[in-house]
Amino acid sequence: MDRAALKRSAVEPAGPSTPVGELREAGLHALLGYQIAQAKIATDAVFDRSVGTPHELRPVEYTMLALIAANAGASPSRIATALALNKPNVTLWLGRLEARRLIERRPSAQDGRSIELTVTAAGARLAAEGTAALVEAERLAFDRLSAAERAMLAELLHKLAARR
């Protein structure tokens, strides 16, 4: 083996390596949780560029807004359950969305003690525009995957999430 090959073998990992940083993954490569965490780094960057920074939204705020837009009348408790968040944090995030006039909290027509959430016109626009921007940004950022592969990956991740 020549000197250049020896030097490369000392620096380049054998087998699967981290997507960035080129560290050996060893047994981590086969772990779904590890691969999901690595993918989350990439998807968070896409979110920040396409929706987060331009609209000053955190991922949890956008997700709540999109869920409320799709589920008018949902309660804060249902949002907390859906996102596995504690109720005080949900109250905080909803307060931020309400302060920006993206959602409204109203007493339930059936039970005045309960709260129903709805989006405002501005909130509905932002949820729709944000989703469209994310779909396109993910398509471009993850162009290594075909449309069918992206759909399959989304379905497989949904199946994993449904197990909780």
Side-chain angles (χ1 to χ4, degrees):
M1 193 180 278
D2 67 16
R3 290 183 137 237
L6 269 174
K7 189 175 181 181
R8 275 193 312 276
S9 69
V11 174
E12 296 174 2
S17 64
T18 58
V20 177
E22 298 183 5
L23 296 173
R24 290 188 188 112
E25 292 179 323
L28 295 173
H29 186 75
L31 296 176
L32 294 177
Y34 171 76
Q35 294 301 344
I36 290 168
Q38 287 291 310
K40 185 176 180 334
I41 295 167
T43 58
D44 283 352
V46 170
F47 176 85
D48 287 341
R49 281 192 310 270
S50 60
V51 175
T53 299
H55 299 287
E56 298 179 2
L57 281 174
R58 291 175 175 89
V60 69
E61 292 170 321
Y62 161 75
T63 302
M64 286 181 169
L65 183 63
L67 286 174
I68 295 165
N71 299 278
S75 68
S77 293
R78 285 186 66 203
I79 298 294
T81 300
L83 299 178
L85 297 170
N86 65 43
K87 290 177 185 177
N89 283 344
V90 169
T91 300
L92 173 74
W93 297 117
L94 292 174
R96 290 180 184 191
L97 293 172
E98 190 174 40
R100 291 182 61 183
R101 295 190 167 103
L102 298 173
I103 67 160
E104 293 178 345
R105 293 186 254 200
R106 298 181 183 156
S108 169
Q110 285 96 11
D111 177 3
R113 297 170 297 169
S114 298
I115 299 293
E116 292 181 348
L117 304 168
T118 58
V119 292
T120 62
R125 261 191 319 278
L126 182 53
E129 290 170 8
T131 299
L134 280 169
V135 167
E136 180 62 10
E138 286 185 355
R139 185 187 67 76
L140 294 171
F142 308 127
D143 63 352
R144 286 182 159 182
L145 299 175
S146 69
E149 288 171 326
R150 281 192 308 278
M152 183 185 304
L153 179 57
E155 183 62 29
L156 291 172
L157 291 171
H158 184 77
K159 280 185 175 183
L160 286 180
R163 295 290 299 178
R164 70 176 180 94

